[in-house]
Amino acid sequence: MAPYAFILPSLIGVLAFLLIPAVAVLVISFFNWNMLSPPRFVGFRNYVDILHDPIALHSMLTTVYYVVLNIPLQTIFAILLALLVNRRLPGMGVFRALLVLPWLAMPVAISVVWNMIFDPTNGVLNNLLAIVGIHPQQWLSSPVEALPCVAAVNIWQWTGYNMLFFLAGLQSIPAYLYEAANLDGAGRVRKFFSITLPLLRPTLLFVLITSVIGSFQVFDTVYVMTEGGPGTATNVYNYYIFQQGFQFFHMGYAAALSVILFVVILLVTLAQFRFVGRGTTYDMG
């Protein structure tokens, strides 16, 4: 019983804050409940209503667009930064710490600061553009620019965090592989694509899966910076779930939306295992 005694505190947390709420969401999705009156069983009606809800479809497409904006750039920048800091130079530890600092800050605080930066009237960004003669942009007030701005903030916050995983992956690659490549006359580009990138695939798979799951669940940045606006330009799926559950008190409908989001994330994750995880090398020997 000793091992179970050690894992009991964590197991209680998983049960209380993950498994039981997940089951509760699934059960609530079959009810019509406004949190004020007793829940009424409606079967699959909430799910049928989702299929005929254009806002739900739009919010899902907006979320997919956000993921497409966010993940490739975030991953590429994280790999490039890991390659940059994977050197033994004076002060490199301080430089690495500075790159991770954005991840340590609270998303709400970051969003407030970036709201001031993107302010169309007195924002720092438009003031810098004015210096070089570029016309001020509307940024968060523009239906075209708002979602890329939100994605840029999340890229800035999470790139340094993902860099740590790629840095650990780089440092686990045996040095003799690069030495052998040098003897064969391979250049930096050839070594990157023939040695570094293939042996980083386990790290890449982990970073992609966790980043995509987090991006599909984006909420706090949108809530603080745009509140789903302008119009519905940044009305991502998680924000729509929040609106249905805690603004309109359609808790059963919000639960059904959450179940749909879980299924979508599960399918995307399985696809990543299928296409990115195929041929992944875990043996560095």
Side-chain angles (χ1 to χ4, degrees), residues 89-100:
L89 296 175
M92 187 56 71
V94 176
F95 187 57
R96 293 172 183 171
L98 291 175
L99 292 174
V100 182

Side-chain angles (χ1 to χ4, degrees), residues 4 14 24 28 55 59 78 96 101 127 142 203 211 221 231 250 278:
Y4 298 100
V14 171
I28 293 172
I55 301 179
S59 63
R96 293 172 183 171
L101 279 180
N127 289 335
S142 167
T203 306
S211 299
T221 311
H250 301 157
R278 182 173 53 187

Side-chain angles (χ1 to χ4, degrees), residues 65-249:
Y65 177 45
Y66 169 82
V67 173
V68 172
L69 286 173
N70 187 32
I71 298 303
L73 290 176
Q74 186 182 123
T75 305
I76 292 172
F77 289 156
I79 293 176
L80 293 177
L81 286 177
L83 292 171
L84 178 65
V85 301
N86 189 30
R87 303 179 182 184
R88 300 191 178 207
L89 296 175
M92 187 56 71
V94 176
F95 187 57
R96 293 172 183 171
L98 291 175
L99 292 174
V100 182
L101 279 180
W103 171 69
L104 297 175
M106 296 298 296
V108 172
I110 289 176
S111 301
V112 171
V113 173
W114 278 96
N115 261 348
M116 293 186 287
I117 294 175
F118 285 127
D119 186 270
T121 304
N122 300 312
V124 175
L125 192 53
N126 271 345
N127 289 335
L128 293 176
L129 292 179
I131 294 175
V132 295
I134 299 178
H135 186 72
Q137 303 297 311
Q138 293 301 311
W139 303 120
L140 298 177
S141 301
S142 167
V144 177
E145 298 171 356
L147 194 62
C149 288
V150 174
V153 172
N154 281 278
I155 290 170
W156 174 81
Q157 181 181 12
W158 289 93
T159 295
Y161 173 76
N162 289 328
M163 175 206 71
L164 293 178
F165 295 105
F166 287 118
L167 180 60
L170 288 173
Q171 294 180 349
S172 67
I173 299 176
Y176 67 79
L177 295 177
Y178 294 107
E179 295 170 359
N182 289 331
L183 294 176
D184 291 337
R188 290 185 178 181
V189 176
R190 180 62 184 274
K191 285 188 289 186
F192 175 78
F193 286 102
S194 298
I195 299 175
T196 305
L197 195 57
L199 294 181
L200 276 181
R201 288 191 70 168
T203 306
L204 180 63
L205 178 63
F206 171 79
V207 169
L208 284 178
I209 289 175
T210 55
S211 299
V212 168
I213 291 174
S215 295
F216 266 102
Q217 299 180 82
V218 62
F219 171 76
D220 39 18
T221 311
V222 171
Y223 179 76
V224 176
M225 294 184 68
T226 64
E227 294 186 351
T232 58
T234 59
N235 189 12
V236 292
Y237 199 80
N238 241 13
Y239 188 78
Y240 187 56
I241 293 174
F242 162 77
Q243 286 181 312
Q244 289 294 327
F246 297 100
Q247 290 184 353
F248 308 142
F249 298 104

